[in-house]
Structures are given as C-alpha cells and as structure tokens.
Amino acid sequence: MILHDLIDYETLRIIWWVLLGVLLIAFATTDGFDLGVGTLLPFVAKNDTERRIAINTIGATWEGNQVWLILGGGAIFAAWPPLYAVSFSGFYLAMFAILFALILRPVGFKYRSKRDSARWRNGWDWALFVGGFVPSLIFGVAVGNVLQGVPFRFADDMRIFYEGSFFALLNPYALLCGLLSVAMLIMHGSAWLVLKATGPVADRARRFGSSAALAVIVLFALGGLYLWMGISGYRITSDISPVGPSNPLLKAVTLQGGGWLTNYGTYPWMIVAPILGFLGAAAAFIAMQARREVVTLLFSKLSITGIISTVGLSMFPFILPSSLDPKSSLTVWDASSSHQTLFIMLVVTVIFLPIIFAYTAWVYKVLWGKVDEKSVTDKNSHAY
C-alpha cells in the first residue's frame, strides 16, 4: 500500500480546508491585535511617552505574529493552486496596498525614535496607523467580495481570466465587511492594550474597545441580514465527487437567494460559529466594563474565531465562487493539489506546526507583563 493511501483524498481535502481556516484564525487572533493597536495609536495615546507605551506592547511580538500570514499564503499556494492563482492575480492591487501598508509597520517601529523631533515621530505614528487600518479594511473587503463572487472564469484549457477592477471591489456589501473587520480588530487591539498597557492608554483603549465590541455585534448582524435578503449564494446542482480530479469545469452551479444560509439547515451544528461571533463580542464588552483583562482578550479571540468560521462554514464546499461563470467556482472538491502533495504537506505540518505553537507560547510567556512609563523611559531600556 502506498503511504499516502493511509488517508483518503476526501479526508485530506477536508483537513486542508480546516487547516487553512486555522491559519487564518491564528493570523487574525495574533497579528490582529497588532493591526488593532496600530489603528488605535493616534487616538489612545496623546503624547510621545504614551505612544511609546502603546507601540511597545506589540513591538516584541509583531514579527512572530506575522508568520501566520506567510503560512496562510504558503498553504494556499501549495494546497489550493487555483485559489492562489485567481486571488493573488485578481486582487493584485488590493494585495499590493496591503503589502505596502504592512511594510510601513517595521519601518515605523525602527525609525520613529531615531530623531527627537515631534513632527518626525508624529509622521511615523500616522504611518503605523496606515499599517494597521489599511490591511484591516482590505482583508474585510476581500471577504465581502468572495461572498458575492469574484469575476473570473476558466477557459476550456484551464487558463484563468479575471475581468474585474480594483474599484469594483469597493461595493457596499464589501465595505460593510471591511468595517466589520476594522471594528473586530479594534476590539482585539483594545483588549490587548487593556491587558498590556497602563494608565491613560489602557483607560482610553477600554472605551474604544467597548464601542468597537458593540459595533462588531451590529455590523455582524447587518452582514448576516444582507446575506439572507440581498445576496445570492451558490449551490452545486450536479454530481461532484469528493475524490474527483481538480477541474472546476466538471460541475454545474446555480445561484440561489439566501443560498449561503442553507448549510445551517443541513448541518444545524454550524450555528455554533455565528453564536460564538455574537457572544464573544458581547462578553468582551462586559469584561471590558468589569476590567477583567485576561478574559477580555480571550472573549475577543472567541468572537474573531466565530466570525471567520461563520464565513467558511456558510460557503462550504465553495472556497472562491465565480460571479462571471458560476461553474468555474472553486470548491474544496475540485481546487486542491494532488493526493500525494496534500499528504506530504500534512506530514510536514504535523511536525512543524506544534513547534511553531510551542515557540509562540514560550515567547509570550517570557514577555508577559505590562508596559509602563518606566519601562520605556529607562535609559537602559531596549524599548522602541
């Protein structure tokens, strides 16, 4: 028996669909609070010392947190090649904007304190704001467009044609999802500042975080209502084999009003995901008001996990629907790499992913504790 036959093709496809979700959630719950702190920086800190406190709550860990984004991109490239080809080419300008914003972050960290000039530091502080706000918004906008369908198609020879434009991505529903993403990460960044910062920075973060948690509840509800009443979901109307070839053109797909909600009737247990999204945000709001620092962050993570899971479960088995040619839509069953490739990658993942988790946990344990004025003004400090 060939080794990769130990796990059948269908199971491997499901495992990699789940792993992709895990990597996206890991990125949102770790680097998400980095983006949230960057977005909040000009508003929770009123002077240079306070801004240094906010920056140093994430300064020691942001690089490690960004690893999850790289792992997610790598997983898409290796496990779902058509998804990588369509999304990274069709969303090229959006990806460029995200990368440009993310590049501002390390430069801002390294250069803002190189000169003792208020104007110089203020400029880099706004660069850090851009580095937090722009990715937060565009990631949500991208998800909103995926739920509506992306304008691409496959030719008979499997060449990909994308016929959309950057500004077409900025439609009302996508912007609603973008605002939800911003609110979600502001809530998360606030929870992190409440946990790690002290004094006025933590107090202001608590106020912003409370408002953001309420905004998450409202925007998440509006997004779901819009999916039910205003956006057609996709449904496979032909036979499709879970172990069939990776050829999206071998199926028939139709659009159905409220189609993205049908999975909850077929698999009632999936309702747990949106419930976690709502309850996590509500619990984070209550915990912020009660000044419960650790559980605030945990509830915020729970809300993010629920919201991201809701998107994936609602769309299953679709991973990238096509608004231009529905049968070209990519699904879990027809957009993956080969059986052998998925198996080899799984073996590598089983070995290295626990190491990454363990190392990350160790780093946070070592760096545990609050950032206060003394820690950033001490002349022997290595703080930013």
Side-chain angles (χ1 to χ4, degrees):
M1 182 176 63
I2 299 176
L3 189 60
H4 68 254
D5 287 338
L6 292 172
I7 305 177
D8 63 78
Y9 202 9
E10 178 182 358
T11 302
L12 279 171
R13 282 169 159 167
I14 290 290
I15 288 172
W16 274 102
W17 175 75
V18 172
L19 281 174
L20 179 58
V22 168
L23 293 174
L24 293 176
I25 290 170
F27 169 69
T29 55
T30 55
D31 203 39
F33 58 68
D34 297 333
L35 298 176
V37 170
T39 303
L40 286 165
L41 184 60
F43 310 105
V44 298
K46 301 302 183 182
N47 57 52
D48 184 66
T49 299
E50 290 180 356
R51 290 181 179 180
R52 290 186 65 200
I53 289 173
I55 289 170
N56 280 281
T57 63
I58 60 174
T61 56
W62 71 269
E63 289 177 289
N65 294 337
Q66 202 160 265
V67 165
W68 297 108
L69 178 62
I70 299 169
L71 288 175
I76 292 173
F77 173 78
W80 311 99
L83 174 61
Y84 182 90
V86 174
S87 59
F88 278 70
S89 58
F91 294 158
Y92 179 80
L93 290 177
M95 294 287 185
F96 182 83
I98 289 173
L99 291 175
F100 175 78
L102 290 177
I103 288 170
L104 286 176
R105 187 164 56 174
V107 179
F109 284 145
K110 300 296 182 182
Y111 279 88
R112 80 169 298 278
S113 295
K114 294 295 185 181
R115 294 177 58 185
D116 190 16
S117 163
R119 184 176 180 181
W120 170 269
R121 295 186 175 188
N122 186 62
W124 284 115
D125 289 338
W126 281 104
L128 291 172
F129 164 79
V130 171
F133 176 79
V134 170
S136 301
L137 179 68
I138 294 181
F139 282 133
V141 167
V143 171
N145 279 281
V146 168
L147 285 166
Q148 295 176 92
V150 178
F152 71 94
R153 63 181 175 86
F154 285 95
D156 292 338
D157 59 1
M158 296 304 293
R159 286 183 299 161
I160 301 171
F161 295 88
Y162 181 87
E163 299 184 16
S165 66
F166 174 77
F167 291 104
L169 300 176
L170 305 177
N171 55 77
Y173 184 71
L175 290 174
L176 173 65
C177 292
L179 291 176
L180 172 58
S181 176
V182 171
M184 183 176 72
L185 297 185
I186 286 177
M187 173 185 69
H188 203 43
S190 298
W192 182 252
L193 286 173
V194 166
L195 176 66
K196 292 287 289 183
T198 57
V201 174
D203 292 336
R204 295 188 193 107
R206 185 174 290 108
R207 292 197 295 270
F208 278 104
S210 298
S211 298
L214 295 177
V216 167
I217 295 172
V218 173
L219 292 169
F220 191 34
L222 288 175
L225 185 63
Y226 207 132
L227 278 184
W228 177 40
M229 301 182 64
I231 293 180
S232 296
Y234 291 67
R235 186 168 65 89
I236 299 173
T237 56
S238 64
D239 292 333
I240 183 170
S241 173
V243 296
S246 292
N247 185 343
L249 299 179
L250 300 179
K251 65 180 181 300
V253 176
T254 187
L255 274 69
Q256 175 183 339
W260 288 140
L261 303 182
T262 57
N263 274 350
Y264 297 100
T266 307
Y267 310 102
W269 61 267
M270 288 185 177
I271 197 65
V272 172
I275 289 174
L276 289 180
F278 284 116
L279 290 184
F285 172 81
I286 294 170
M288 283 188 189
Q289 299 301 304
R291 298 177 179 269
R292 300 291 300 275
E293 298 173 352
V294 175
V295 295
T296 297
L297 185 66
L298 294 178
F299 284 135
S300 179
K301 288 177 180 285
L302 190 66
S303 179
I304 292 172
T305 300
I307 290 171
I308 294 176
S309 298
T310 296
V311 176
L313 292 172
S314 298
M315 292 178 58
F316 184 84
F318 291 91
I319 51 179
L320 189 65
S322 168
S323 60
L324 193 63
D325 178 28
K327 73 176 181 179
S328 293
S329 300
L330 304 178
T331 74
V332 173
W333 311 130
D334 60 19
S336 74
S337 293
S338 69
H339 190 172
Q340 184 174 10
T341 299
L342 294 182
F343 179 78
I344 293 172
M345 287 173 52
L346 182 61
V347 172
V348 174
T349 301
V350 167
I351 295 172
F352 288 101
L353 193 60
I355 296 174
I356 295 172
F357 274 119
Y359 175 74
T360 301
W362 177 78
V363 168
Y364 277 97
K365 181 178 183 298
V366 170
L367 298 173
W368 193 256
K370 287 187 175 290
V371 179
D372 55 19
E373 183 175 346
K374 182 178 182 299
S375 65
V376 299
T377 57
D378 190 325
K379 65 179 181 179
N380 295 319
S381 172
H382 295 285
Y384 286 116

